[in-house]
């Protein structure tokens, strides 16, 4: 009795002083426990049932085998001042495995009907429908979650869901039995307005990477920034599926959209490649579409296809975009500027450091950001560097570049070698800046022909450091620019191997 008194007293105290609680869930917990770190609950639903606005539910690592939907009802909404937090415990990796669910539209993994939740760090797999559906909820943040092997779209936004932010999430291998419905991210059908995706990846979903097809909703806006969509329409095993297979599908409606429904899309710094059908696809959207600094590569049907006339007063704006190895089909109404298919550009593989997508599914950085890889990044001599028009996005150098990846030798290169255990590596020279000599180290996973050249700031080759065959392993070269009568300044050191190359930036200070 005494203990109960204290619990009641403490609860009153917590409520009256609005002290946020931490509630813990663990695979070895028990719902009769107190929900503390030492006495965790077993089920997420139990934690949700006792949580109050401002509370944080921490999910400990491990696999949670779940067979019924976790519903967060609208009565559990927070406020802009006091969210609910549903977080992976820091440094741990909870996997919510719904694989025992049968295929059914009512078998979502998480059904988020509330607003002002912040959900972070969860894997959600195997659900009988969506991995997560935001059903009418607004102002939620979904960060660093992965949705995979669900039997409909990984993350769907429905029933007026608006003003949600989806940050650094992955959605892949989602497939419905017919293969025609499961998208990676689906702000579609009855979605609300002003939803935002940042740093997300969608790959090998049976239907589309993103899908903004409308039925019920109209005149809604979705914004995507720094998102990648690839190999949609292909199965987990890599074989061709029967779904639509578009990268970013921006709209449409029934009967080729005879209702002229509008899904206004803005895509900035987005990348679509190797999708079964189109990279950036209008799908009869009658609303405005703005594509800034996007890159499309190798999409089978078309890299860009936006040809249907828009509703009066709507605009298609395409600026600073790149298309490589695929067609561009834009209506004459498009407002275009500085795209790679326009004069005077003539695109080629040499514009890119790498066109090999090998690492695009690599693990994310520690901060949850997309992996730092050189795929479709501009090579130091590319015609597209500083060749764009100012569209209000941050840029380096004298002007914006074309494409999804602004060329920034200093930061992009220093981070570049973070996770390449099986790949060729060219390490940042040391010391740097340097005088009089510096060490250039590189690593080869296999016996290779290696050429290392140095270029000045004008892109002129000034030194050949090596051109030879090397066994697998690590090597170091010492370089003394004075021996080549070079002046102080920036030099780019470029290693060629096979048909690829890597580059680092160095600073020689005499
Ligand atoms: Ca469904
Ligand atoms: Ca479809
Ligand atoms: Ca679709
Ligand atoms: Ca630039």
């Amino acid at each position: 009795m005494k203990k109960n008194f204290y619990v009641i007293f403490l609860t009153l105290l917590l409520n009256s002083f609005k002290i946020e609680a931490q509630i813990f869930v663990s695979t070895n917990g028990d719902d009769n426990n107190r929900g503390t770190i030492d006495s965790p609950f077993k089920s997420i639903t139990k934690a949700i049932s006792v949580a109050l606005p401002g509370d944080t539910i921490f999910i400990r690592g491990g696999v949670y085998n779940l067979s019924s939907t976790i519903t967060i009802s609208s009565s559990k909404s927070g406020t802009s001042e006091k969210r609910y937090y549903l977080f992976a415990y820091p440094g741990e990796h909870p996997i919510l495995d719904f694989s025992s669910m049968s295929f059914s539209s009512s078998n979502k993994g998480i059904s988020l009907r509330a607003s002002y939740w912040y959900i972070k760090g969860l894997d959600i797999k195997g659900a009988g429908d969506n991995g997560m559906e935001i059903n009418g909820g607004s102002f939620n943040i979904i960060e660093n979650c992965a949705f995979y092997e669900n039997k409909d779209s990984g993350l769907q936004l429905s029933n007026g869901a608006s003003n949600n932010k989806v940050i650094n999430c992955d959605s892949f291998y989602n497939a419905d039995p017919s293969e025609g419905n499961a998208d990676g991210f689906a702000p579609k059908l009855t979605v609300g307005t002003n939803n935002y995706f940042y740093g997300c990846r969608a790959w090998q979903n049976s239907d589309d990477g993103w899908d903004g097809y409308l039925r019920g909703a109209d005149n809604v806006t979705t914004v995507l920034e720094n998102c990648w969509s690839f190999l949609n329409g292909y199965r987990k095993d890599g074989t061709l599926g029967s779904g639509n297979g578009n990268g970013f599908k921006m709209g449409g409606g029934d009967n080729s959209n005879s209702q002229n429904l509008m899904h206004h899309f803005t895509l900035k710094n987005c990348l679509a490649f190797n999708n079964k059908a189109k990279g950036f696809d209008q799908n009869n959207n009658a609303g405005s579409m703005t594509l800034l600094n996007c890159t499309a590569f190798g999409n089978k049907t078309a890299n860009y296809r936006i040809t249907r006339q828009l509703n009066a007063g709507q605009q298609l704006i395409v600026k600073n975009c790149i298309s490589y190895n695929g067609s561009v089909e834009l209506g004459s109404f498009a407002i275009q500027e500085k795209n790679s298919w326009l004069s005077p550009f003539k695109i080629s593989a040499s514009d890119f450091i790498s066109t090999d997508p090998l690492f695009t599914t690599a693990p994310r950085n520690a901060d949850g950001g997309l992996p730092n890889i050189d795929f479709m990044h501009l090579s130091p001599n590319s015609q597209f560097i500083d060749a764009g028009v100012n569209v209000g996005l941050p840029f380096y150098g004298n002007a914006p570049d074309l494409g999804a990846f602004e060329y920034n030798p200093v930061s992009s290169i220093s981070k570049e070698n973070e996770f390449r255990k099986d790949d060729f590596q060219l390490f940042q020279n040391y010391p740097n800046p340097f005088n009089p000599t510096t060490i250039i180290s590189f690593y080869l996973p296999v016996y290779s022909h290696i050429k290392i050249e140095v270029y000045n700031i004008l892109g002129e080759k000034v030194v050949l450091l090596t051109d030879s065959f090397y066994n697998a392993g690590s090597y170091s070269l010492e370089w003394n620019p004075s021996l080549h009568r070079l002046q102080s300044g920036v030099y780019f050191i470029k290693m060629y191997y096979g048909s690829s190359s890597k580059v680092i930036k160095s600073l020689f200070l005499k």
Side-chain angles (χ1 to χ4, degrees), residues 295 322-324 340 344-355 374-385 387 401-403 405 407 494 501:
T295 294
I322 284 178
S323 172
Y324 184 48
S340 71
F345 305 118
K346 207 165 163 51
I347 196 167
S348 77
S350 65
D351 283 305
F352 305 101
I353 299 173
S354 168
T355 55
D374 49 23
F375 177 65
M376 300 314 286
H377 284 232
L378 299 176
S379 57
N381 299 321
S382 171
Q383 63 193 305
F384 301 131
I385 293 174
D401 305 346
L402 271 59
F405 304 102
Y407 182 71
K494 189 168 187 180
S501 65

Side-chain angles (χ1 to χ4, degrees), residues 52 113 186 196 200 210 218 229 333 343 348 407 410 414 418-419 452 477 482 504 506:
L52 297 168
R113 293 155 182 265
Y196 175 74
C200 296
W210 267 260
D218 187 17
S229 192
F333 52 88
S343 175
S348 77
Y407 182 71
V410 179
S414 60
E418 274 171 4
F419 60 86
I452 299 181
L477 299 171
S482 297
I504 55 173
S506 65

Side-chain angles (χ1 to χ4, degrees), residues 271-293:
L271 170 65
F273 64 93
N274 291 351
N275 289 290
K276 174 190 169 184
K278 289 150 277 183
F280 296 86
D281 177 30
Q282 175 181 22
N283 198 34
N284 294 306
N285 184 12
S288 287
M289 286 159 278
T290 303
L291 280 63
L292 306 174
N293 282 94

Side-chain angles (χ1 to χ4, degrees), residues 10 69 83 198 283 383 421 445:
L10 193 62
T69 301
R83 291 182 176 277
Y198 179 91
N283 198 34
Q383 63 193 305
K421 307 293 179 249

Side-chain angles (χ1 to χ4, degrees), residues 130-358:
N130 303 135
M132 181 187 294
E133 182 185 38
I134 304 180
N135 181 334
S138 296
F139 298 101
N140 297 291
I141 302 169
I142 313 297
E143 184 177 358
N144 269 131
C145 290
F147 309 94
Y148 49 97
E149 295 168 12
N150 299 291
K151 298 178 191 78
D152 196 354
S153 300
L155 174 62
Q156 187 154 340
L157 288 79
S158 307
N159 194 20
S162 67
N163 293 288
N164 297 288
K165 288 186 163 63
V166 183
I167 313 291
N168 291 337
C169 290
D170 288 332
S171 195
F172 52 98
Y173 304 155
N174 297 293
D176 57 300
S178 77
E179 299 187 321
N181 287 321
D183 306 310
F185 298 98
K188 68 182 180 184
L189 301 173
T190 54
V191 67
T193 196
N194 200 30
N195 294 294
Y196 175 74
F197 294 83
Y198 179 91
C200 296
R201 288 185 294 194
W203 72 91
Q204 278 168 282
N205 296 290
S206 73
D207 206 37
D208 306 299
W210 267 260
D211 192 349
Y213 168 88
L214 300 178
R215 185 194 285 174
D218 187 17
N219 201 22
V220 294
T221 295
T222 299
V223 177
L224 278 68
E225 209 167 345
N226 290 6
C227 292
W228 301 355
S229 192
F230 49 101
L231 288 172
N232 294 292
Y234 294 88
R235 303 186 179 105
K236 184 181 177 183
D237 67 6
T239 58
L240 189 65
S242 59
N244 293 137
N246 297 296
F248 300 96
K249 182 190 273 185
M250 294 183 280
D254 289 336
N255 303 321
S256 300
N257 198 12
S258 58
Q259 295 172 280
N260 296 316
L261 301 177
M262 298 192 290
H263 197 157
H264 312 294
F265 259 91
T266 298
L267 296 97
K268 307 173 194 171
N269 298 108
C270 291
L271 170 65
F273 64 93
N274 291 351
N275 289 290
K276 174 190 169 184
K278 289 150 277 183
F280 296 86
D281 177 30
Q282 175 181 22
N283 198 34
N284 294 306
N285 184 12
S288 287
M289 286 159 278
T290 303
L291 280 63
L292 306 174
N293 282 94
C294 293
T295 294
F297 170 61
N299 298 287
K300 297 295 176 288
T301 308
N303 275 341
Y304 298 84
R305 182 181 286 174
I306 306 166
T307 55
R308 181 200 197 263
Q309 189 66 48
L310 310 178
N311 285 358
Q314 307 305 311
Q315 286 188 324
L316 169 63
I317 297 172
V318 183
K319 295 185 178 181
N320 297 344
C321 290
I322 284 178
S323 172
Y324 184 48
N325 193 17
S327 68
V328 177
E329 301 163 38
L330 299 179
S332 58
F333 52 88
I335 300 166
Q336 296 200 61
E337 205 172 353
K338 303 290 183 184
N339 298 310
S340 71
W341 52 89
L342 302 174
S343 175
F345 305 118
K346 207 165 163 51
I347 196 167
S348 77
S350 65
D351 283 305
F352 305 101
I353 299 173
S354 168
T355 55
D356 183 349
L358 189 60

